[in-house]
Amino acid sequence: MMNLSDTARALVAPGKGILAADESEKSADEKRLTAFGIKTGPEMRRKFRDMLLATPGIEEYLTGVILHEETLSQKGNDGELFPRLLAAKGITPGIKVDQGLEPLAESPSETITKGLLGLPERLTAYHTDYATGFTKWRAAITIDGDRLPTARALVENAKRLATYACEVQKAGMVPLLEPEVLLDGAHGRLRARAVIESVMRVLFDTLNEQCADLSGIIIKTSMAVSGNKSGRQDTPEEVAEDTLGALMETVPAEVAGIVFLSGGQTPDQATANLAAITKLARERNAPWPLTFSYARALQEEALMIWKGEDENVPAAREAFLARLEKVAAATS
Ligand code: 13P
């Protein structure tokens, strides 16, 4: 029986990473299917998951896949439940357990994440019925000049992330804590860096007051990049300097690992930035393993080719595998 820190370390093993395939029904329909001209609904979502998860050879690049609740009980084309199909390849199935965002009462242009109600019961069911080994909780942090984020948004989101983390560890799984600093906005890279630092400081202050064992948690973070309305394109070296700088200032060495989201970067940007960050991390002896946990940057090229058609599956899988290989290579 592996303990939590062994499970967490295995998820951030060198040269591999985690696929985020945990879009809610609505996000999968709107942002993955409709956005690529594909029909929606449960069967198309199932086919979309099968196109990715049944790709032969993904285990060479993936330690884990984050799933959404609907996918846990769906089956691949081979008739096997998706979590079992992954486990058979040696990939740990994970589950997104938050239930999305709602406006923060004290600052309605910001959000707080829902999902603590009934969480312990859901965790037990996921772990026993589907053998999930890890879980994800996403908070979204908005930047608007110096006005946002408010201290309140950081504190309230950190409290829920910490409560979530403790519950997940009690249930015998690894929590992946994702306070995503959104790319939307006209802010520069240095502002993004400062916000990532504030988010992490508040988060670790809160975690230290609670029961979470830091050696059995994984942090999922944005990179420090200029906002998508800034008109600026940072170089990978700039992104690496400010991303690693922010994390080394704020994330304790005991944390099992740090994974990145792609956040709306193109697949090539997300690959080049990751390569620069991991290179700098080796030069500076960063204390934790760093790798990817991308959704869009891994899926986009495959979705473009697939178009929802069975005959395009082999070509779509080839593109998916090719991107996985590049992203995995960027970590080593
Ligand atoms: P992106 O890589 O598309 O940002 O998604 C990662 C994720 O898990 C967002 O919650």
Side-chain angles (χ1 to χ4, degrees), residues 114-276:
K114 298 181 282 186
L116 289 179
L117 214 63
L119 181 62
E121 293 75 18
R122 285 194 289 131
L123 292 174
T124 307
Y126 299 142
H127 194 43
T128 25
D129 298 348
Y130 300 103
T132 52
F134 70 108
T135 70
K136 178 184 113 174
W137 180 283
R138 172 178 178 263
I141 306 295
T142 305
I143 302 183
D144 181 4
D146 292 334
R147 192 176 74 85
L148 301 183
T150 60
R152 190 67 181 241
L154 301 191
V155 169
E156 295 306 323
N157 275 296
K159 280 190 203 157
R160 292 204 188 173
L161 277 160
T163 306
Y164 145 80
C166 296
E167 291 296 344
V168 171
Q169 289 189 332
K170 273 189 232 156
M173 292 183 281
V174 171
L176 204 147
L177 287 70
E178 181 185 20
E180 173 173 359
V181 173
L182 298 171
L183 190 68
D184 307 285
H187 54 274
R189 186 184 69 257
L190 294 181
R191 174 73 178 134
R193 172 183 175 152
V195 171
I196 292 172
E197 287 181 8
S198 307
V199 165
M200 293 300 167
R201 280 207 180 91
V202 175
L203 178 59
F204 283 99
D205 283 350
T206 314
L207 281 168
N208 286 333
E209 290 161 12
Q210 303 221 18
C211 61
D213 164 14
L214 297 189
S215 73
I217 70 166
I218 295 174
I219 291 291
K220 177 159 175 169
T221 180
S222 309
M223 297 176 189
V225 288
S226 298
N228 57 9
K229 297 187 189 75
S230 66
R232 260 170 274 169
Q233 183 64 60
D234 312 297
T235 67
E237 290 69 31
E238 290 170 335
V239 173
E241 183 63 44
D242 287 311
T243 303
L244 192 73
L247 298 172
M248 287 192 68
E249 289 280 323
T250 56
V251 178
E254 305 95 278
V255 164
I258 300 179
V259 297
F260 294 99
L261 57 100
S262 59
Q265 299 181 41
T266 65
D268 282 340
Q269 284 168 347
T271 307
N273 288 338
L274 181 66

Side-chain angles (χ1 to χ4, degrees), residues 267-268 271 297-298 301 318-328:
D268 282 340
T271 307
L298 286 174
E301 292 153 314
E318 208 175 299
F320 178 47
L321 216 50
R323 179 54 61 182
L324 270 173
E325 187 181 357
K326 287 184 204 163
V327 175

